[in-house]
Amino acid sequence: MNFQIKSIEEYNAAYQKSVEKPEEFWAEIAENFQWKKKWDKVLDWNFKEPKIEWFKGAKLNITENCLDRHLKDKADQPAIIWEANDPTEHHRVLTYKQLHQKVCLFSNVLKNNGVKKGDRVCIYMPMVPELAIAVLACARIGAIHSVVFGGFSAQSIADRINDAQCEMVITSDGGFRGPKDIPLKNVIDDALVQCCSVKTVIVLTRTRTPISMIKGRDKWWEDEIKKVETLGLIDCPAEEMDAEDELFILYTSGSTGKPKGVVHTTAGYMVYTAYTFQNVFQYQPNDVYFCTADIGWITGHSYIIYGPLAQGATTLMFEGVPTYPDAGRFWDIVDKFKVNVLYTAPTAIRSLMQSGLDYVKDKDLSSLKVLGSVGEPINEEAWNWYNENIGKGKCPIVDTWWQTETGGIMISPLANIIKTKPCFATLPLPGVQLMLVDEKGDEIKGNGVSGNLCITFPWPGMLRTTYGDHERCRQTYFATYENKYFTGDGCMRDEDGYYRITGRVDDVINVSGHRIGTAEVENAINMFTDVVESAVVGYPHEIKGQGIYAYVILNKESDDEELTRKDISMTVSRIIGAIARPEKIQFVKGLPKTRSGKIMRRILRKIAEGDVANLGDTSTLLDPTVVEDIKNNKI
Ligand code: 6R9
């Protein structure tokens, strides 16, 4: 592997080359992978349509790169180490050879059930190795996976299945998360009432929760595996995929309407996740790498499965939550498996920080070399706590900024190479051309400035479209500023040229690192029988980063406000999922609107933040007394 950057000079040289000769730069990196046929052209693009094609004409299968090619020298090296939710349940280790075998077998299960190249498969599973196996099996036969996070409701799953017209669902009877059993198959049953495209449901046994199994549709994972074994379908040749064939769909919230299916394709995504994984974490052979994300989010896709496995790394997967059975669980895992690289989220750090140092003090964390952070801005206090108490001042913290749409890390220190600074994602990776712009789209030059963060040149890991609606992709990301990809984030560049992400500038709330669209939550609240109208904003939350604050107008006064709040909360839970439940619900008589009927969220945000003295200009409001009423009844 010859794309590892080893010094700041090498970083500077790589960055410069990536800007001056991007095609040559990425072609050299791509030489390190296994291709069935090499590309005819490295890059073809315009941000107008947009059209982005990387490694055009190349043929490959990503699982040959993640599995087969490591069998020569890493067959017996652990590919996945799995730690169960319950610390007394034995952990599992899958070597590259074993993982390869299991993926091949399950690929044959998919084929045996009629899944073909290009078909969409929805995966709704707990964090067990079979989830990674299901994902890789889809990729091996060329089916497009759409993983849905275990916390989403039946309605959300149904919307996603219908949007992608999935033919199959892979799930399990249930999942363990901390002290709870999550009834995954029950939720799928509820969802499937609305989905005609699904012909088969494969159900893994995990919790042994009683579930329904519908004849002809539902099949046990274990039985299906036995069937293909009996048929002698052990090996499964990897399907030949085009570089730009779709690899997966992952739904994410935006500022308007329903979630979008972000589409990633094969070759560019593979090259980008592998390259960034290697360079950001400076992964060394035999290191144990632990990313605490759920595979239901992009971080799990790119940095539990594809990036690490493409690099032949040992990736640790954890089924549970950081606080079960107690707030020392991450540190127990680091100690138990001698973890070298830990990649987690600020919300987890803040929650563990609050539990105190008793849970850290007797744990041996000396194996740690690199710490990572992702998902939301990390506040200085959390950064310092992580640095001092977990890294013992010796481990660089890589604060990695990126998005579902970017596929991989875009701005981050490279461990031990780029000097870190609390709260700063620091510098762009090679291949990433950033620009700060003002409202009009004009570039903000120089240092010590702030603006909206845009990217001006394609990178291999970027999204190609939003599933089934290319115009929406153009509108959302490429129409705000001409010829630029707009991230939706605000950002500052300090005197050293270091970047600090300040948060979303659109109507997206980041709750515990999860993106939630205000419009989505409002739609769900408005479904509640007595609601006339609602407006949702984010407010600073000590642990979650941001919490959801909802202003709600009822059609009649509630005789039990607490109960009505719970009813509304339950409604949101049913429609979207528990992650979108508002923290605070304030009943109001009216919402601050302009004369043209637009809700002035700026004012609502200020009130939710507790900054009532500073509401700015309210003279354009239709009825300024509304604001007084909201201020006086703030919760
Ligand atoms: C990978 C992931 C993307 C949004 C992004 C930004 C926020 C992510 C961050 C960060 C500050 C970081 N974000 N990483 N903000 N510093 N290191 O989280 O993808 O779920 O799509 O969220 O998260 O606001 O725009 P996704």
Side-chain angles (χ1 to χ4, degrees), residues 75 125 187 283 295 489 508 541:
M125 286 179 85
V187 179
Y283 184 85
I295 289 172
D489 279 316
V508 172
H541 186 286

mmCIF file of all heavy atoms in Angstrom, residues 75 125 187 283 295 489 508 541:
data_model
loop_
_atom_site.group_PDB
_atom_site.id
_atom_site.type_symbol
_atom_site.label_atom_id
_atom_site.label_comp_id
_atom_site.label_asym_id
_atom_site.label_seq_id
_atom_site.Cartn_x
_atom_site.Cartn_y
_atom_site.Cartn_z
ATOM 1 N N ALA A 75 -5.503 -14.319 6.011
ATOM 2 C CA ALA A 75 -6.644 -15.232 6.153
ATOM 3 C C ALA A 75 -7.020 -15.442 7.620
ATOM 4 O O ALA A 75 -8.197 -15.480 7.974
ATOM 5 C CB ALA A 75 -6.334 -16.560 5.485
ATOM 6 N N MET A 125 -31.397 -4.358 11.197
ATOM 7 C CA MET A 125 -30.814 -5.371 12.088
ATOM 8 C C MET A 125 -30.096 -4.748 13.278
ATOM 9 O O MET A 125 -29.691 -3.589 13.235
ATOM 10 C CB MET A 125 -29.807 -6.213 11.299
ATOM 11 C CG MET A 125 -30.439 -7.190 10.336
ATOM 12 S SD MET A 125 -29.193 -8.094 9.446
ATOM 13 C CE MET A 125 -28.848 -9.423 10.586
ATOM 14 N N VAL A 187 -41.697 -4.594 14.293
ATOM 15 C CA VAL A 187 -41.735 -3.301 13.612
ATOM 16 C C VAL A 187 -41.784 -3.519 12.099
ATOM 17 O O VAL A 187 -42.537 -2.856 11.385
ATOM 18 C CB VAL A 187 -40.520 -2.434 14.028
ATOM 19 C CG1 VAL A 187 -40.548 -1.099 13.306
ATOM 20 C CG2 VAL A 187 -40.504 -2.209 15.540
ATOM 21 N N TYR A 283 -3.650 3.915 10.407
ATOM 22 C CA TYR A 283 -3.803 2.531 10.833
ATOM 23 C C TYR A 283 -2.545 1.708 10.528
ATOM 24 O O TYR A 283 -2.022 1.750 9.422
ATOM 25 C CB TYR A 283 -5.014 1.903 10.121
ATOM 26 C CG TYR A 283 -5.274 0.495 10.593
ATOM 27 C CD1 TYR A 283 -6.043 0.263 11.731
ATOM 28 C CD2 TYR A 283 -4.718 -0.593 9.929
ATOM 29 C CE1 TYR A 283 -6.256 -1.024 12.190
ATOM 30 C CE2 TYR A 283 -4.933 -1.887 10.379
ATOM 31 C CZ TYR A 283 -5.692 -2.096 11.506
ATOM 32 O OH TYR A 283 -5.898 -3.371 11.966
ATOM 33 N N ILE A 295 -24.089 0.784 12.417
ATOM 34 C CA ILE A 295 -23.970 0.593 10.971
ATOM 35 C C ILE A 295 -25.165 1.216 10.238
ATOM 36 O O ILE A 295 -25.105 1.477 9.037
ATOM 37 C CB ILE A 295 -23.727 -0.901 10.652
ATOM 38 C CG1 ILE A 295 -22.312 -1.274 11.098
ATOM 39 C CG2 ILE A 295 -23.931 -1.225 9.172
ATOM 40 C CD1 ILE A 295 -21.966 -2.723 11.030
ATOM 41 N N ASP A 489 -23.480 23.496 6.198
ATOM 42 C CA ASP A 489 -22.808 23.839 7.450
ATOM 43 C C ASP A 489 -22.177 25.227 7.402
ATOM 44 O O ASP A 489 -21.691 25.666 6.359
ATOM 45 C CB ASP A 489 -21.693 22.820 7.754
ATOM 46 C CG ASP A 489 -22.231 21.550 8.385
ATOM 47 O OD1 ASP A 489 -23.081 21.652 9.277
ATOM 48 O OD2 ASP A 489 -21.804 20.460 7.973
ATOM 49 N N VAL A 508 -31.904 21.958 9.918
ATOM 50 C CA VAL A 508 -31.590 20.599 10.344
ATOM 51 C C VAL A 508 -31.073 20.693 11.776
ATOM 52 O O VAL A 508 -30.269 21.561 12.091
ATOM 53 C CB VAL A 508 -30.530 19.959 9.420
ATOM 54 C CG1 VAL A 508 -30.059 18.627 9.973
ATOM 55 C CG2 VAL A 508 -31.095 19.769 8.018
ATOM 56 N N HIS A 541 -28.206 21.512 24.077
ATOM 57 C CA HIS A 541 -28.480 20.476 25.068
ATOM 58 C C HIS A 541 -27.146 19.945 25.580
ATOM 59 O O HIS A 541 -26.269 19.626 24.780
ATOM 60 C CB HIS A 541 -29.300 19.369 24.414
ATOM 61 C CG HIS A 541 -29.768 18.312 25.369
ATOM 62 N ND1 HIS A 541 -28.929 17.355 25.896
ATOM 63 C CD2 HIS A 541 -30.998 18.074 25.897
ATOM 64 C CE1 HIS A 541 -29.623 16.566 26.708
ATOM 65 N NE2 HIS A 541 -30.880 16.984 26.727
#
